[in-house]
Amino acid sequence: MKEVLLLKCGEIVLKGLNRKTFEDRLLKNLKRRMANVADCNISMRQSVVYVEIPDEADGDAVMECAKRVFGFATISRAAVCPEKTLESVIGTAKAYLAPRFAEAASFKVESKRGDKKFPMTSTEISQHVGGELADLFPDVRPDMHHPELTVNVEIREQYAFVHAGPEPGAGGMPIGSNGRAGLLLSGGIDSPVAGWMMAKRGLELVGIHFFSYPYTSEQAKEKVFELARKLSAWCGRMSVMVVPFTKIQEEIREKCHEELFTLIMRRFMMRISERVAEEYGCGALITGESLGQVASQTMPAMAVTGAVCSLPVFRPCIGMDKEEIVRIARRIDTFETSILPYEDCCTVFTPKHPNTRPKMPKILEAESRLDVDALVNEAVAGIEIVHI
């Protein structure tokens, strides 16, 4: 039986004259991602995207791929009726949904008539199809209010479709529709979640990772690449810029007071990230900071670290607690990788008593002992680019 995915667009339907730009981006993203799964014919009509599943393709894999493409509100896996007639609809529903009827105690039929030339109203279609299905499945009672199974009938321009109801799509905006941003990607739980949240708002991601060999291991770097691969299942292709950070951390340890180490280190990270962002066409930076979670994420500390940037800094996790962040990490399949016991550079030379209420004059005085520009230039020149 021929199957198709019906993908309903999300908030881009609210766009005005530039709506087609968003739709074109959405289709481009879907086709590129779907090419890795199956050779599907993909088209769009009236804010509905049709993905025709080839007979030889893995329908579950096609469905799973579509559910991770940002921009769709709902996705329905449907059977295509051979003819656009009620008899064909009933026969298709009987064959395609027989396993669902076997598991349900009650059902109802909901119909949508996109083709206004069809000679029955949506209500009439539902009543007729529902009556026939009640006779075909006498052990499943009709229930218009709380059915266990809802049979959906869609009469559209070319075909009629039958399915058991939509599933939630990824939502959000098409990747790339709102530009590109640099994601400070550590090996922790928060930064992949922050990247996923901003990708959902249509941002293409460029990963920026700070690597301090030999204080951090090759396994720690591979862990970050694996996190990027997990993100790419949602965000599509991305690159990770691996920044050599050992010399900067050693210079800070040698010349600055211990309580300021983390703050000055993060200011270097922001400077370097902004340089990378500007070189690769990014309009903002993304961090996984959550207010008050650690010493460097107090309001005064974030003001100090953010002061070196002219680009906007997005902090989508800022008002979330750890349980909320972990919940998303589990959903997007990054949590188990994030908790692998390989430390990143943020845990190197951690001060025993970090300053949580830093004053800018004291920070600037400490940085005056460092050749900031030379250290930043050297780190940027040594960047390793890894394409995921």
Side-chain angles (χ1 to χ4, degrees):
M1 185 174 294
K2 187 174 180 59
E3 285 189 298
V4 64
L5 299 186
L6 308 177
L7 294 86
K8 309 293 177 68
C9 294
E11 62 185 277
I12 66 173
V13 300
L14 304 175
K15 299 298 178 182
L17 297 177
N18 61 345
R19 174 170 160 179
K20 190 175 185 308
T21 302
F22 288 87
E23 291 177 341
D24 290 345
R25 173 69 70 168
L26 181 60
L27 277 176
K28 181 180 178 181
N29 291 348
L30 178 64
K31 289 177 180 178
R32 185 176 64 244
R33 301 277 294 283
M34 201 62 73
N36 298 315
V37 179
D39 185 16
C40 301
N41 183 33
I42 299 174
S43 59
M44 184 175 192
R45 294 183 295 276
Q46 295 181 325
S47 297
V48 177
V49 175
Y50 299 82
V51 178
E52 298 177 25
I53 304 175
D55 294 337
E56 68 280 5
D58 182 344
D60 293 337
V62 173
M63 181 72 172
E64 195 60 33
C65 177
K67 287 166 70 174
R68 294 188 175 200
V69 177
F70 292 121
F72 295 108
T74 63
I75 304 173
S76 303
R77 185 173 175 178
V80 183
C81 302
E83 298 178 1
K84 205 161 68 172
T85 63
L86 287 185
E87 292 74 16
S88 181
V89 168
I90 293 164
T92 302
K94 176 186 175 183
Y96 188 61
L97 298 179
R100 299 293 189 101
F101 273 97
E103 298 173 351
S106 60
F107 84 102
K108 75 171 182 177
V109 176
E110 290 187 351
S111 302
K112 293 182 180 179
R113 186 183 61 141
D115 178 6
K116 300 306 178 184
K117 295 180 182 179
F118 195 79
M120 298 177 72
T121 66
S122 298
T123 301
E124 291 170 338
I125 294 168
S126 296
Q127 290 173 341
H128 185 86
V129 173
E132 293 294 325
L133 291 177
D135 292 338
L136 291 168
F137 299 98
D139 295 332
V140 186
R141 72 179 188 279
D143 184 344
M144 301 303 106
H145 302 290
H146 304 289
E148 292 185 14
L149 170 64
T150 299
V151 177
N152 288 262
V153 177
E154 299 197 27
I155 308 293
R156 297 197 168 269
E157 301 86 348
Q158 291 183 293
Y159 301 102
F161 305 96
V162 172
H163 59 87
E167 295 186 31
M173 305 284 284
I175 293 286
S177 62
N178 282 323
R180 181 182 298 158
L183 168 65
L184 278 71
L185 184 61
S186 70
I189 298 171
D190 303 341
S191 58
V193 170
W196 180 85
M197 292 176 71
M198 295 313 302
K200 187 175 181 179
R201 298 309 307 155
L203 286 179
E204 181 182 342
L205 302 181
V206 174
I208 306 169
H209 176 65
F210 294 88
F211 184 58
S212 295
Y213 185 81
Y215 303 108
T216 54
S217 65
E218 286 293 328
Q219 290 99 320
K221 184 161 64 170
E222 288 300 322
K223 172 183 170 180
V224 169
F225 295 156
E226 180 61 21
L227 287 172
R229 279 188 282 271
K230 298 280 189 181
L231 277 177
S232 71
W234 297 89
C235 309
R237 58 192 178 187
M238 63 182 295
S239 299
V240 177
M241 311 295 167
V242 182
V243 182
F245 206 54
T246 307
K247 184 174 180 178
I248 290 175
Q249 290 191 291
E250 290 177 338
E251 285 281 302
I252 297 171
R253 179 182 62 173
E254 182 181 337
K255 298 179 180 178
C256 300
H257 195 280
E258 182 188 21
E259 69 169 10
L260 302 178
F261 173 77
T262 301
L263 293 167
I264 295 174
M265 176 193 73
R266 292 187 68 83
R267 280 166 63 86
F268 269 97
M269 287 180 171
M270 300 303 281
R271 291 185 180 100
I272 294 167
S273 296
E274 186 168 59
R275 287 274 297 273
V276 172
E278 290 171 346
E279 184 173 348
Y280 289 91
C282 300
L285 297 175
I286 304 167
T287 76
E289 292 164 301
S290 174
L291 185 61
Q293 185 173 194
V294 294
S296 63
Q297 294 175 16
T298 62
M299 259 200 307
M302 285 190 285
V304 164
T305 56
V308 297
C309 282
S310 58
L311 287 178
V313 179
F314 296 149
R315 299 177 172 95
C317 299
I318 195 70
M320 301 171 69
D321 63 33
K322 201 66 177 183
E323 288 185 6
E324 292 172 302
I325 297 171
V326 167
R327 194 177 304 125
I328 295 176
R330 291 186 186 279
R331 177 189 170 192
I332 65 177
D333 194 30
T334 58
F335 178 75
E336 295 299 331
T337 302
S338 291
I339 62 174
L340 291 173
Y342 305 123
E343 295 183 333
D344 59 39
C345 70
C346 294
T347 60
V348 176
F349 313 141
T350 304
K352 293 181 180 179
H353 303 288
N355 189 332
T356 59
R357 298 180 181 279
K359 303 297 183 184
M360 188 62 76
K362 193 173 182 179
I363 295 290
L364 294 176
E365 189 277 328
E367 286 184 343
S368 69
R369 304 169 201 162
L370 305 167
D371 192 341
V372 173
D373 291 339
L375 289 169
V376 169
N377 290 338
E378 184 176 346
V380 171
I383 286 175
E384 172 194 1
I385 304 175
V386 178
H387 300 291
I388 304 297

